[in-house]
Amino acid sequence: MLENTLKKYTDRFNSLDSEYVVNYVSNAKAFDWLKTNVPLLECPDSIIEQTYYYRWWTFRKHLKETPDGFIFTEFITPVKHAGRYNALSCAFGHHVYEGRWLRNGQYIDQYIQYWYLKDAQQKSPRFHQFSSWAADAVYNRFLVDRDSSFVTALLPYMDKDYRLWEQEKRLSNGLFWQFDVKDGMEESISGARREKHTRPTISSYMYGNANALAKIAVMAGNDTLQQRYIADAAKIRQLVQDQLWDDTAAFFKVRQAIKGSDETHFSNAREEIGFIPWYFNLPADKSRYAKAWEQVTDTSGFDAGWGLTTAERRHPAFRSHGSGGCEWDGAIWPFATTQTLKGLAHLLTDYKHHDGMSPAVYYRALQVYAQSHQKNGKPYLGEYQDERTGYWLKGDDPRSSYYNHSGFCDLVINDLIGLKPRADNNLELRPLIPEGLWDWFMLEGVPYHGKLVTVRWDKTGERYKAGKGLKVFVDGREVYSGGRLKRVVVWL
């Protein structure tokens, strides 16, 4: 039904593209590949709808077939700091969260195996070139396809990888340190390239990884690993709350190492990485922590005309670095926007304390993010943006086009429309569409537990002429019908 919508967007994107790089799927084959692989969307918000299709169209540009299997690249052109096949691990988590919704699972399967198996065999492995929530992403992919054999076979390698992170980056106090550049967040206000600062990024990632490994260990019947990772996740959670929460600023912050001392102190800047703990549901459900989210709607905080800034706008060092490289001192980075929106969605669906946040706040932030995907009035995705003008700060560099360093489609499927994958045989829907905003939408052909799911909402029944309300179909069979756009749990 929605193939004409996909064709319209694909033809338009193709017509605007010089296609100076061709990987596995050319523009000429894009429509057929997308029709076969991606869930189709129709909704009354033309900006969100266009950006949804644009992101899938750009995502397939990065699919590359190599002697070691399929991978997804980050840069469309070769860059010096990449490894074999132009592979980079920085956005691996984003790639897997996004790619878990592809109907052909071999692409993500082989990409995961590339990093855990093939890269590890190299003389100089590159997986740890950047911090990563890899195990968390792999587990969340499992929740979509429910292929337990795939993840349990990987468990020994993921366990080994976690222990390597402990050797490389774990402090004696139990938290993890990282250089901002190795977080993929160089030139930040709080960061450094030589000091072992304790950052909310890597410790939150490792908390997410530990939780994922504990759940996979249950599937594998490995009680020893399960207990180890349950205990470590609990330990990291407590340490992050005790040591990285600045009560005065009401925010999770970097603790900076003091030269010549074992002591640390808080950075004086709120940075967008302070929202990352909610990506993994790390903070306790308390109002004192939820208070941090006030900064998302504060124009002196992170709220700017073109999106969410990477540092608070009130800070005197905001946008001060100007190195011409990659500045995370305030400019808008889609990488961080994706993390913040995922964290906000978790706050709204998994927590009781919201501190004024609502589906309307989420929707506005997602819509602004969608609108930012433009350059000179045409669809575009680059590295990072000026928060006042929307100018892509590396927009004239060919490497920056179609920059595969963030997510968007997953935010629409998993969070806005709210398809929440589960380990049991239930299908759960928890929409974040503000009440009364959309009278209709359809998300068609979503792969889930080996079946195809379609979600259709028609408030009046006039759009689709097939009855009023919310309907859910599994392999074409109606499994739910209701009058309201609300939480739904259906046994498959």
Side-chain angles (χ1 to χ4, degrees):
M1 182 176 181
L2 302 185
E3 287 181 12
N4 290 338
T5 303
L6 172 65
K7 186 70 163 61
K8 175 188 72 173
Y9 284 115
T10 304
D11 287 349
R12 180 173 180 234
F13 302 150
N14 284 349
S15 72
L16 296 172
D17 186 37
S18 64
E19 199 173 19
Y20 53 88
V21 173
V22 179
N23 285 315
Y24 183 65
V25 183
S26 67
N27 283 359
K29 297 179 180 178
F31 171 72
D32 288 336
W33 189 88
L34 292 168
K35 180 180 68 173
T36 302
N37 279 286
V38 309
L40 302 182
L41 173 71
E42 179 182 60
C43 74
D45 191 315
S46 60
I47 296 297
I48 286 179
E49 183 182 276
Q50 174 179 277
T51 305
Y52 177 86
Y53 284 110
Y54 183 67
R55 289 301 300 253
W56 279 129
W57 182 84
T58 60
F59 192 65
R60 64 83 214 173
K61 272 182 169 288
H62 290 273
L63 178 60
K64 191 171 185 177
E65 190 173 25
T66 78
D68 287 325
F70 286 105
I71 67 166
F72 286 90
T73 59
E74 178 178 318
F75 292 95
I76 200 70
T77 60
V79 293
K80 292 179 180 178
H81 62 286
R84 294 177 308 144
Y85 319 125
N86 205 32
L88 282 166
S89 63
C90 188
F92 175 84
H94 287 322
H95 295 166
V96 174
Y97 266 84
E98 199 91 333
R100 63 183 174 155
W101 302 109
L102 295 174
R103 287 199 281 274
N104 188 336
Q106 70 168 327
Y107 305 122
I108 289 297
D109 280 352
Q110 292 181 25
Y111 184 46
I112 292 168
Q113 290 169 332
Y114 171 79
W115 282 114
Y116 275 109
L117 306 180
K118 305 293 186 179
D119 179 71
Q121 296 170 4
Q122 302 307 304
K123 185 177 293 186
S124 300
R126 295 295 194 99
F127 200 17
H128 287 203
Q129 186 177 3
F130 296 99
S131 309
S132 178
W133 60 104
D136 165 84
V138 170
Y139 179 75
N140 277 276
R141 189 290 179 93
F142 154 76
L143 294 179
V144 172
D145 74 356
R146 215 172 172 219
D147 184 355
S148 58
S149 61
F150 180 81
V151 291
T152 53
L154 276 177
L155 180 59
Y157 304 97
M158 291 194 285
D159 173 48
K160 182 179 179 181
D161 183 71
Y162 189 98
R163 293 171 191 265
L164 182 60
W165 277 114
E166 290 185 300
Q167 293 173 27
E168 294 174 348
K169 301 292 182 180
R170 196 151 205 177
L171 295 163
S172 58
N173 66 9
L175 287 172
F176 292 81
W177 68 272
Q178 186 59 288
F179 304 124
D180 61 358
V181 67
K182 296 300 184 181
D183 268 339
M185 300 174 177
E186 57 268 41
E187 304 298 336
S188 64
I189 292 175
S190 69
R193 292 181 181 235
R194 293 182 176 85
E195 304 300 328
K196 295 183 178 181
H197 293 343
T198 312
R199 296 168 60 79
T201 49
I202 188 168
S203 288
S204 296
Y205 298 163
M206 297 308 290
Y207 170 78
N209 291 336
N211 268 332
L213 289 168
K215 292 169 184 174
I216 296 170
V218 172
M219 289 188 273
N222 191 326
D223 294 343
T224 302
L225 273 189
Q226 176 197 358
Q227 293 165 9
R228 177 185 193 271
Y229 283 115
I230 286 175
D232 205 33
K235 178 181 179 180
I236 296 170
R237 184 187 198 203
Q238 194 62 52
L239 287 168
V240 169
Q241 292 176 131
D242 289 348
Q243 298 190 34
L244 299 187
W245 176 258
D246 183 345
D247 225 10
T248 302
F251 216 75
F252 287 106
K253 283 186 174 182
V254 173
R255 289 200 74 96
Q256 296 172 312
I258 300 174
K259 290 183 179 180
S261 169
D262 292 332
E263 299 297 314
T264 62
H265 60 73
F266 278 124
S267 161
N268 65 3
R270 296 183 185 92
E271 295 170 297
E272 198 176 0
I273 58 175
F275 296 118
I276 289 177
W278 280 274
Y279 190 109
F280 308 98
N281 285 2
L282 183 155
D285 192 356
K286 296 180 179 179
S287 58
R288 66 185 289 234
Y289 296 127
K291 188 175 176 60
W293 288 94
E294 293 177 3
Q295 300 299 324
V296 160
T297 55
D298 188 341
T299 54
S300 297
F302 299 90
D303 185 12
W306 282 82
L308 299 171
T309 57
T310 47
E312 58 182 331
R313 302 177 74 192
R314 65 174 67 83
H315 195 277
F318 180 83
R319 294 296 308 278
S320 65
H321 288 55
S323 69
C326 295
E327 299 115 53
W328 287 72
D329 58 350
I332 295 166
W333 280 84
F335 183 102
T337 300
T338 307
Q339 292 178 320
T340 301
L341 286 172
K342 180 66 70 177
L344 178 55
H346 286 172
L347 180 84
L348 293 171
T349 56
D350 301 330
Y351 286 72
K352 294 178 181 178
H353 293 95
H354 298 162
D355 198 58
M357 297 299 102
S358 67
V361 174
Y362 180 86
Y363 188 86
R364 174 181 175 267
L366 181 68
Q367 189 180 56
V368 171
Y369 180 33
Q371 289 172 335
S372 73
H373 286 69
Q374 61 174 283
K375 179 185 174 187
N376 299 325
K378 299 175 183 178
Y380 183 82
L381 173 62
E383 293 189 56
Y384 64 117
Q385 281 176 298
D386 185 289
E387 76 286 353
R388 300 157 301 167
T389 66
Y391 174 73
W392 291 94
L393 294 163
K394 280 185 173 288
D396 297 323
D397 189 334
R399 81 172 203 170
S400 291
S401 295
Y402 325 111
Y403 189 41
N404 193 23
H405 194 243
S406 58
F408 184 86
C409 301
D410 175 69
L411 297 174
V412 173
I413 297 169
N414 185 221
D415 301 314
L416 181 64
I417 291 173
L419 204 163
K420 302 297 184 186
R422 297 167 54 136
D424 61 19
N425 204 35
N426 280 307
L427 170 68
E428 181 175 3
L429 198 68
R430 299 190 70 175
L432 286 179
I433 300 164
E435 190 171 353
L437 186 64
W438 283 7
D439 285 349
W440 52 268
F441 76 82
M442 185 185 293
L443 181 66
E444 184 177 72
V446 185
Y448 184 68
H449 292 192
K451 305 177 188 299
L452 290 178
V453 173
T454 292
V455 181
R456 188 175 74 207
W457 163 247
D458 192 345
K459 184 177 180 180
T460 66
E462 292 300 309
R463 178 73 182 185
Y464 300 110
K465 310 294 185 183
K468 296 181 182 180
L470 177 66
K471 295 183 184 294
V472 180
F473 303 87
V474 176
D475 285 344
R477 177 176 59 91
E478 184 179 302
V479 297
Y480 175 83
S481 179
R484 293 180 54 217
L485 189 58
K486 64 181 183 69
R487 186 189 180 206
V488 172
V489 179
V490 180
W491 180 259
L492 294 179

